[in-house]
Amino acid sequence: MQAATAAIMIRTGESGLSRIEGASAVVLAGGQSRRFGRSKAHALLGGTPLIGHVLEPLRRLFDDVTVVANEPAGYACFDVDVVADILQGAGALGGLLTGLVHSRYDHCFVVACDMPFLNPALIRRILGASRGRDVVVPVRERRPQPLHARYCRRCIPHIYRSIQKERFRIVDFYPDVVVEEVTEGAWRAVDPDATSFMNVNSPEDFERAAIWLAQRGTRSSGEILVEKEATPR
């Protein structure tokens, strides 16, 4: 797919919600959910599939949203573009490659399907970072968060080479590209509780997420976090 090269723009509509133009969103849903024991993406959290909590704020922010999955037919009900992995057996790195290849725009916000409490203000901050970077990634406790980051299609050949060398961690290709880190101080200004990085890897994680959601009512994560948005200090 030939990606559009328009600059990323953040515009505020009549509803007051800022949309991100000129960038795509990619949700990786190809994991095997070994620790969880069943498909995480379809597990009901507060009555909504886990991936639904991820997709809702992304639909509000982006006009191009794609899910990368091993079995695309299982995601038809979510009314988004769904594509299968280009390369099998390459894990999340292969999913990232697939998402970039199929994206409409040069820049993509990439997130895992098991991170249900996305913060739109943080996503905008990541997408609004320097245009000349190949990767913009938040760092938490000195560790990059590669499944909540911005990637440019310039990364594609480097990802291919990493896979060919059987280096399957996403961060393995970072030394080959230009990376900008979003410091913990910067992202905590808009997400002080780090809920953006709360992921569901196990049944215990799922229970914690359910409790967190119940404490804030039965509304979806997108609705909760839109209310909390504020201009960074």
Side-chain angles (χ1 to χ4, degrees):
M1 177 183 291
Q2 182 67 40
T5 58
I8 299 172
M9 301 290 291
I10 298 175
R11 301 184 186 277
T12 302
E14 295 180 359
S15 65
L17 178 65
S18 297
R19 288 184 60 84
I20 299 168
E21 299 179 358
S24 301
V26 173
V27 180
L28 304 187
Q32 298 182 12
S33 303
R34 289 192 183 95
R35 291 173 58 189
F36 196 71
R38 56 192 172 98
S39 171
K40 289 187 290 187
H42 297 87
L44 295 181
L45 178 63
T48 298
L50 190 62
I51 194 172
H53 289 275
V54 180
L55 290 172
E56 181 174 355
L58 295 182
R59 284 191 183 114
R60 294 176 181 225
L61 291 170
F62 298 89
D63 64 19
D64 179 41
V65 180
T66 300
V67 172
V68 180
N70 291 329
E71 300 178 358
Y75 297 85
C77 61
F78 295 105
D79 193 29
V80 293
D81 291 335
V82 186
V83 296
D85 282 313
I86 294 172
L87 300 176
Q88 297 297 317
L93 185 60
L96 171 58
L97 172 67
T98 301
L100 289 174
V101 167
H102 285 277
S103 64
R104 184 184 304 169
Y105 300 104
D106 272 345
H107 292 276
C108 299
F109 174 70
V110 179
V111 66
C113 72
D114 61 357
M115 302 176 78
F117 304 124
L118 298 179
N119 184 314
L122 177 54
I123 295 172
R124 287 199 299 271
R125 170 161 288 200
I126 292 170
L127 269 294
S130 302
R131 300 293 186 269
R133 304 299 188 258
D134 300 315
V135 178
V136 179
V137 60
V139 174
R140 183 184 186 193
E141 297 175 355
R142 300 184 179 180
R143 294 185 178 184
Q145 304 297 308
L147 291 182
H148 189 292
R150 188 187 96 194
Y151 296 89
C152 177
R153 285 170 56 94
R154 289 190 299 268
C155 295
I156 289 174
H158 303 287
I159 296 173
Y160 266 120
R161 282 196 288 271
S162 188
I163 292 173
Q164 289 172 345
K165 294 177 181 178
E166 297 186 353
R167 296 161 53 204
F168 295 121
R169 296 187 309 157
I170 290 180
V171 297
D172 284 342
F173 80 89
Y174 280 13
D176 302 324
V177 297
V178 181
V179 177
E180 177 177 337
E181 295 183 345
V182 181
T183 66
E184 189 150 351
W187 63 255
R188 281 195 184 273
V190 293
D191 187 5
D193 298 324
T195 53
S196 295
F197 307 109
M198 185 186 298
N199 64 344
V200 178
N201 284 321
S202 66
E204 293 75 20
D205 293 337
F206 188 83
E207 289 299 321
R208 282 191 287 271
I211 292 170
W212 192 94
L213 186 62
Q215 288 174 344
R216 289 153 179 80
T218 58
R219 296 167 297 172
S220 71
S221 60
E223 292 168 326
I224 293 168
L225 292 172
V226 165
E227 293 176 4
K228 292 176 63 178
E229 288 183 45
T231 302
R233 293 187 297 273

